[in-house]
Amino acid sequence: MKKILGIDIGGTKIRLGVVNENGEVLADKKIPTQLPLYPYLEEQVLKVMADFPDLSGIGIGTRGMVDAKTGVVTFETELEGWQGTPVKAQLEAATGLRVEINNDANCAALAEAKIGAAADFQKVVCLTIGTKLGGGFVFDGQVMNGTHGGAGEVGHLILYPNGLVCGCGRPGCSEQYVSGTALSRLIQEENVIDPETGQLAITQNLFRLAANGHTSAIVVRERFLSDFAVVISTLQAVLDMECVVVGGGVSDSADDWWENLLAKVESLKLSPLELKRATFGNEAGMLGAAMLVIDRVN
């Protein structure tokens, strides 16, 4: 049975997992991210190969934008020196194995589409609500990368023209309204006070407070979910997907808001559409990275 090394590269940590073709994790290792990144990554990969000499390939998911064809990181500002790195070519030369690399949100989407919540669907959009809003499109088992590796940047759909300025420099991007960061801002704007602490509510408790009838928390929930439903409806108008998978840290509280979201999407959708909660948590990026290459090696 094939064994693939799946790697998820984040700003503070890297996760390396040996995964078989059934999606079972045979080994899992977390290490801190260190710069310069490429030589450190190569060193860690060679260590894993020493323990698993029968690896068939290597898949990598990374923050930033990637040219999936060439395997070059085309845009990444926070991992100094990573932008412009020809990861695929260098790591293939160092290991002798097939290497594929893509954006981490795309990898998470691929995991959900192939072996997760959307395994029964062919046209899948995966939305990740964490500190920001990420996305990945998987159609017919393939990640849609776009011309410059920028497809799936759902957080940068313009939701409110002339709205809040995004980190990308443009006003009104959707992640300014649908994200953990947006929730924190809305809590302040609506002055949501947690009755147990007497302080501003934290994002993790916001939806529980709303479910319990907290008036200002309900206002925040309705603003947040209404905007999220518009994002989903807009994507359906463009992509006509079968299924939307929702994951990320904010989805941890979905028991308290999922039915509200379904109702809001129901009133906006143009055709039948399934909404699913993500199967995988923090391991999605690593599993999806392995899925990048698992069908391309012997």
Side-chain angles (χ1 to χ4, degrees), residues 105-120:
N106 286 342
C107 290
L110 191 60
E112 294 293 347
K114 281 187 170 288
I115 57 174
D120 294 331

Side-chain angles (χ1 to χ4, degrees), residues 226-277:
S226 293
D227 286 342
F228 191 21
V230 169
V231 170
I232 292 171
S233 175
T234 300
L235 289 170
Q236 185 187 38
V238 176
L239 297 171
D240 191 23
M241 61 281 192
E242 298 170 274
C243 180
V244 173
V245 178
V246 179
V250 175
S251 70
D252 291 343
S253 61
D255 286 347
D256 294 318
W257 54 263
W258 188 251
E259 294 302 320
N260 301 77
L261 177 64
L262 293 181
K264 291 181 183 299
V265 172
E266 184 66 29
S267 67
L268 294 175
K269 67 185 185 183
L270 299 166
S271 53
L273 178 66
E274 292 283 337
L275 266 68
K276 300 281 189 180
R277 292 165 65 172

Side-chain angles (χ1 to χ4, degrees), residues 130-131 174-187 203 220 224:
T131 304
S174 59
E175 72 178 25
Q176 297 303 307
Y177 303 90
V178 183
S179 63
T181 302
L183 270 180
S184 295
R185 176 179 54 78
L186 290 170
I187 287 169
T203 56
V220 171
F224 183 87

Side-chain angles (χ1 to χ4, degrees), residues 18-199:
V18 177
V19 181
N20 68 19
E21 53 196 288
N22 294 327
E24 298 169 328
V25 179
L26 308 178
D28 191 357
K29 178 182 180 182
K30 297 175 186 175
I31 56 175
T33 303
Q34 293 185 14
L35 302 177
L37 184 50
Y38 179 78
Y40 174 66
L41 175 66
E42 181 180 306
E43 176 187 354
Q44 297 301 320
V45 167
L46 293 175
K47 286 181 179 179
V48 175
M49 290 180 65
D51 293 331
F52 292 88
D54 55 345
L55 285 177
S56 298
I58 301 167
I60 302 172
T62 179
R63 54 180 296 153
M65 292 173 61
V66 176
D67 183 328
K69 289 184 179 179
T70 63
V72 175
V73 179
T74 57
F75 182 78
E76 168 49 42
T77 58
E78 295 186 31
L79 293 174
E80 185 177 353
W82 191 229
Q83 181 172 310
T85 303
V87 182
K88 176 180 171 69
Q90 290 184 202
L91 201 54
E92 284 185 339
T95 63
L97 297 176
R98 175 75 175 263
V99 175
E100 299 294 338
I101 181 170
N102 213 306
N103 167 265
D104 51 3
N106 286 342
C107 290
L110 191 60
E112 294 293 347
K114 281 187 170 288
I115 57 174
D120 294 331
F121 299 92
Q122 295 300 308
K123 306 287 191 296
V124 178
V125 168
C126 184
L127 302 176
T128 304
I129 317 175
T131 304
K132 300 181 180 181
L133 176 62
F137 308 152
V138 181
F139 277 36
D140 302 317
Q142 301 296 316
V143 173
M144 294 176 62
N145 291 301
T147 303
H148 305 101
E153 292 289 342
V154 175
H156 298 293
L157 288 173
I158 300 295
L159 184 60
Y160 287 100
N162 304 313
L164 296 168
V165 177
C166 180
C168 74
R170 302 183 308 157
C173 286
S174 59
E175 72 178 25
Q176 297 303 307
Y177 303 90
V178 183
S179 63
T181 302
L183 270 180
S184 295
R185 176 179 54 78
L186 290 170
I187 287 169
Q188 294 183 42
E189 286 183 6
E190 298 295 338
N191 195 34
V192 182
I193 302 298
D194 189 328
E196 290 189 5
T197 65
Q199 304 293 321

